Amino acid sequence: MQTLQLDKRAVMISQDFMTAYLCLPKPLDGLKYTLEDVQAVLEDCGVKRGIDQEMIKKMVQGGIYERSVAIATGEEPKNGTDGYYEYKFQRHLDGKPKINEDGSVSYAIQLFEMVNEGQVIAVYHPAVPGVDGYSVKDVPIRAKLAREQPPLRGRGFAVQEDGVTYVANITGKIDVINDKINILPVYEVSGDVDVNTGDIDFRGDVIIHGSVDDVTVRATGTVTVDGVVQGGSIYSNKEIVLAGGVLGNGKSVIDAKSNISAKFFEFANVRCKGNLTADIFLNSDVYCEGKAFVMSKKGCIVGGNVHAVGGIEANCIGNNAEIRTHVLVGNTGEVRMKMEELRNSINAALANIEKAESILSKFDEFEQKTGQSCKDDPRRVQLVRIRVRDKARKAADEEQLRKLEVMVESARGANIKVRRRVYPGVRISIDSCDASCKDTFEDIIFVKQKGKVIMRRLSDWGDDSNY
């Protein structure tokens, strides 16, 4: 039987080269296509892979004409999966007090997570390679490469022999800072700390499951106290959390380089580089470089001085007895005076450095001309000492000035928000501007405008509270 030669027009390939279609023209009576005819035209059109021989056979033998049928299909690539770590601990803790439904505040704050020696802290899941695809013309389509993750960095843990399981070497707190995991020792006391146990001075974090009575606790890390601080003092290079509050008796000092949270402060001295949160401030001397939040519905500031550079948010300030209470926000004139002193000191040091370097350059010129060394000349030695001293002094002053400039900028627009009531006897200060409350006011915000402290209704002003 005579066969037909197919024209290339019988084959159509999709634009993405992933599908080839065959359309057999209807032959004249007595003529018939063969599988070889179809194979020949596919080769002429460059179709080499993913060919469905069964479909072609069905079309030829079944007489499927004048209809485009998919007879070759490419394979899409299967992208790989990047390697990833499955962490067995909480990597992100907000470290903030929780407001309960009844308006009370829970100061049982979790600043970090503890792990035990031998505990699995992470498991690595290796990358899964991808599978390349191809077009009907047998052109490879590369799969997306799967990336492996670098080994975990840090200290206090090790990887097991399987190369994917990471286990703690010590019992301590686990932190993630700049993608480095550190497990650090923690000083944990199951009970009270008092004159019987003595002071605590620890390089790391301290957890006290009891009270602190008439002793001093110092730590380079965070300090957490479940009970009440009674007459004791706490110093921390990080955060302080006092779930039971402070009965200061006029001698407690609570000093942190970061945030402080406590149930209450009574007759205490408080110093804080970050934000300060409590339910009650009673007759305390308080200074924080961030904001002060009095969160509870019954929270109040009564008596003493509370200075928060970034602003104060409270429910009540003062009381019916009109106890003298001073609240301050922004920076006092002392800060700006200090900044001016630092600038003058920096300029003086710079002048001394330039003068010393000018004279030292003459010693260098003398050495070049005469070939005689002046290295041990007492005058040159003294100038070098002066230059080193003033450079160190200048660097220290510049760093302190930079911190004060940041603090001044953070205080820009600082205000005092009182959600419920402010009483007579309360003195308000914003920067160097003062005002006194002679009546009771509710729903008030104090702001500085045109060199004066003015009052506005808080609900009209707009509440952008951070809690």
Side-chain angles (χ1 to χ4, degrees):
M1 182 181 288
Q2 186 179 1
T3 62
L4 296 173
Q5 184 176 6
L6 285 167
D7 188 277
K8 285 185 176 181
R9 287 175 293 180
V11 176
M12 183 182 72
I13 301 175
S14 62
Q15 290 185 348
D16 60 1
F17 299 102
M18 296 303 290
T19 309
Y21 300 90
L22 176 64
C23 181
L24 296 175
K26 187 175 182 180
L28 297 174
D29 292 341
L31 299 179
K32 186 177 181 180
Y33 299 107
T34 67
L35 296 178
E36 290 76 11
D37 293 331
V38 175
Q39 186 62 41
V41 75
L42 290 179
E43 289 180 2
D44 288 344
C45 293
V47 178
K48 302 177 181 179
R49 196 160 181 192
I51 299 172
D52 188 346
Q53 297 291 352
E54 289 298 321
M55 179 56 70
I56 294 173
K57 185 177 180 180
K58 183 177 179 181
M59 291 180 68
V60 171
Q61 294 180 352
I64 300 175
Y65 304 128
E66 306 295 343
R67 191 176 75 181
S68 292
V69 178
I71 47 82
T73 306
E75 185 73 27
E76 295 286 352
K78 296 180 176 62
N79 291 332
T81 303
D82 291 343
Y84 67 95
Y85 285 97
E86 179 186 358
Y87 294 98
K88 302 295 186 178
F89 62 95
Q90 297 183 69
R91 297 187 66 197
H92 305 288
L93 299 169
D94 61 15
K96 295 180 179 179
K98 302 295 187 294
I99 301 179
N100 301 319
E101 292 183 359
D102 61 0
S104 63
V105 180
S106 171
Y107 289 90
I109 301 170
Q110 185 178 3
L111 295 178
F112 51 80
E113 185 171 345
M114 293 287 292
V115 295
N116 296 316
E117 182 180 356
Q119 180 179 332
V120 175
I121 62 169
V123 175
Y124 181 64
H125 295 267
V128 178
V131 179
D132 291 343
Y134 54 84
S135 71
V136 295
K137 291 195 171 189
D138 201 18
V139 175
I141 304 174
R142 301 301 180 191
K144 179 184 176 182
L145 293 176
R147 296 183 303 168
E148 296 287 5
Q149 300 297 323
L152 291 178
R153 298 180 302 143
R155 57 178 172 164
F157 63 90
V159 64
Q160 300 298 285
E161 291 183 1
D162 61 7
V164 297
T165 305
Y166 290 80
V167 174
N169 285 340
I170 63 172
T171 296
K173 76 151 188 176
I174 188 165
D175 271 340
V176 182
I177 302 175
N178 297 328
D179 293 327
K180 291 181 66 176
I181 294 178
N182 293 314
I183 301 176
L184 302 173
V186 173
Y187 189 98
E188 191 166 9
V189 181
S190 298
D192 296 338
V193 176
D194 52 28
V195 292
N196 294 317
T197 60
D199 296 339
I200 293 176
D201 193 342
F202 185 70
R203 293 185 62 82
D205 298 280
V206 175
I207 302 175
I208 299 171
H209 300 292
S211 297
V212 176
D213 301 335
D214 295 314
V215 294
T216 299
V217 176
R218 297 180 184 272
T220 60
T222 61
V223 177
T224 303
V225 180
D226 292 343
V228 176
V229 178
Q230 301 185 66
S233 294
I234 297 177
Y235 300 86
S236 167
N237 286 354
K238 292 187 178 179
E239 294 190 48
I240 295 176
V241 175
L242 310 173
V246 180
L247 293 170
N249 301 325
K251 58 183 182 180
S252 289
V253 177
I254 310 299
D255 189 315
K257 297 297 189 293
S258 184
N259 301 327
I260 297 178
S261 298
K263 186 68 176 175
F264 62 86
F265 292 101
E266 292 187 11
F267 296 94
N269 279 283
V270 185
R271 298 292 178 266
C272 172
K273 292 286 186 180
N275 292 330
L276 181 59
T277 306
D279 281 358
I280 297 173
F281 294 96
L282 177 61
N283 290 317
S284 293
D285 187 13
V286 178
Y287 175 79
C288 80
E289 294 183 7
K291 289 186 176 182
F293 300 100
V294 185
M295 298 178 64
S296 170
K297 283 186 176 180
K298 297 181 179 179
C300 60
I301 300 173
V302 180
N305 297 278
V306 176
H307 182 181
V309 173
I312 295 174
E313 299 186 23
N315 281 291
C316 290
I317 301 179
N319 65 2
N320 286 321
E322 301 186 12
I323 293 178
R324 290 178 177 268
T325 305
H326 189 192
V327 288
L328 310 84
V329 298
N331 294 291
T332 63
E334 294 177 0
V335 172
R336 300 190 182 278
M337 288 175 61
K338 181 62 177 177
M339 291 173 66
E340 189 62 27
E341 289 175 3
L342 289 170
R343 292 189 182 99
N344 292 335
S345 178
I346 291 168
N347 291 333
L350 185 60
N352 288 340
I353 293 168
E354 291 175 349
K355 183 177 179 180
E357 289 180 342
S358 176
I359 299 174
L360 286 170
S361 67
K362 293 180 180 179
F363 277 100
D364 294 338
E365 292 173 2
F366 178 79
E367 287 181 343
Q368 291 176 358
K369 288 180 180 180
T370 64
Q372 183 178 350
S373 174
C374 300
K375 182 179 179 180
D376 296 325
D377 188 305
R379 295 169 298 175
R380 185 182 183 281
V381 171
Q382 181 64 18
L383 287 169
V384 170
R385 288 176 178 171
I386 291 173
R387 183 176 62 179
V388 171
R389 179 201 66 192
D390 286 346
K391 279 188 175 182
R393 181 182 299 169
K394 175 175 171 288
D397 287 345
E398 286 175 338
E399 176 64 16
Q400 190 175 357
L401 178 61
R402 184 190 65 79
K403 291 180 179 179
L404 290 178
E405 287 174 342
V406 170
M407 192 167 66
V408 168
E409 182 61 29
S410 67
R412 194 180 302 276
N415 53 54
I416 300 171
K417 297 176 181 177
V418 185
R419 306 189 184 290
R420 292 181 59 200
R421 192 172 294 118
V422 58
Y423 292 89
V426 173
R427 179 183 169 197
I428 303 292
S429 296
I430 302 179
D431 293 332
S432 299
C433 301
D434 294 331
S436 295
C437 292
K438 302 188 184 315
D439 295 298
T440 299
F441 301 98
E442 296 183 354
D443 183 34
I444 289 294
I445 180 172
F446 295 92
V447 297
K448 177 184 173 183
Q449 287 187 0
K450 297 181 179 180
K452 294 182 179 180
V453 176
I454 64 169
M455 291 187 302
R456 291 289 185 267
R457 187 169 295 279
L458 180 57
S459 54
D460 294 338
W461 183 272
D463 187 3
D464 57 351
S465 171
N466 291 321
Y467 68 88

